[in-house]
Amino acid sequence: MRTAQTEQPSTQRTDRATPSTGTAAPLAALGQVPWDDIRDSTGSAAGIPRLLDRVARGDAGSARAALDELRTRICQYGFVVEQATAATVPFLWELAQLPHVTCRPQIIQLLKSIADARQWEDVAAVYPKVLNHRENPVVWERRARQAVRARRGALRVLLADQDRDIARATTELAAALGA
């Protein structure tokens, strides 16, 4: 499978929390991502929208199982495993802010894992030949971290949440982002 071009980070200001007006359907922008053309740890990332939808709409057990599978596909063992990670991050931020989503602390913890991921950079520091590969995991890792940072304006809202688990996970994410 060929590697799809990954867009450069937007120049739009994204450090503010997106107000939840209740008018847009959750995950409405999923169709704007070429999931069939990008990869996750299983190959094609075409299954990611289904998993995100289960996290958004599923009961606690179904949502948690979907999030666990999503973690395996985009940030397994703390590694940003493929290019789909950066594309998935904005949807994780969106889900973390939706009050009806049952696994919000775990979503925030996944965002923190992505923000902390530097394993490929560490490997490249020891084995620079990694940077010469056509599919460069260091680039995936950096883009994924940039995607987490781009939406950090949502931290204020999440820190104010009455749920202690959400507030604690958000505090850890804020520290990882230096916010």
Side-chain angles (χ1 to χ4, degrees), residues 67-175:
L67 185 63
D68 289 346
E69 184 176 342
L70 189 61
R71 175 183 292 275
T72 300
R73 288 174 168 235
I74 66 168
C75 192
Q76 190 173 33
Y77 310 119
F79 274 79
V80 170
V81 291
E82 280 286 347
Q83 63 190 168
T85 306
T88 306
V89 165
F91 300 106
L92 293 173
W93 274 112
E94 181 181 349
L95 292 171
Q97 296 175 75
L98 295 175
H100 72 273
V101 173
T102 59
C103 54
R104 293 169 62 208
Q106 293 81 16
I107 293 169
I108 298 165
Q109 290 167 347
L110 176 53
L111 287 167
K112 181 187 179 299
S113 293
I114 295 167
D116 285 342
R118 285 180 173 67
Q119 289 81 355
W120 288 116
E121 285 182 358
D122 293 346
V123 168
V126 177
Y127 302 104
K129 286 186 175 188
V130 169
L131 299 173
N132 296 332
H133 290 263
R134 187 171 77 83
E135 296 186 15
N136 187 337
V138 175
V139 172
W140 303 333
E141 195 172 68
R142 288 179 182 156
R143 286 185 178 151
R145 284 197 318 266
Q146 289 170 345
V148 174
R149 292 188 72 73
R151 304 283 194 287
R152 69 185 176 271
L155 290 170
R156 287 186 305 264
V157 173
L158 293 169
L159 283 168
D161 198 289
Q162 297 300 310
D163 184 307
R164 290 187 315 203
D165 292 334
I166 291 170
R168 182 176 45 246
T170 304
T171 300
E172 292 171 6
L173 174 57

Side-chain angles (χ1 to χ4, degrees), residues 28-40:
L30 274 175
Q32 296 174 9
V33 177
W35 298 107
D36 291 337
D37 295 334
I38 60 177
R39 297 177 56 84
D40 66 18

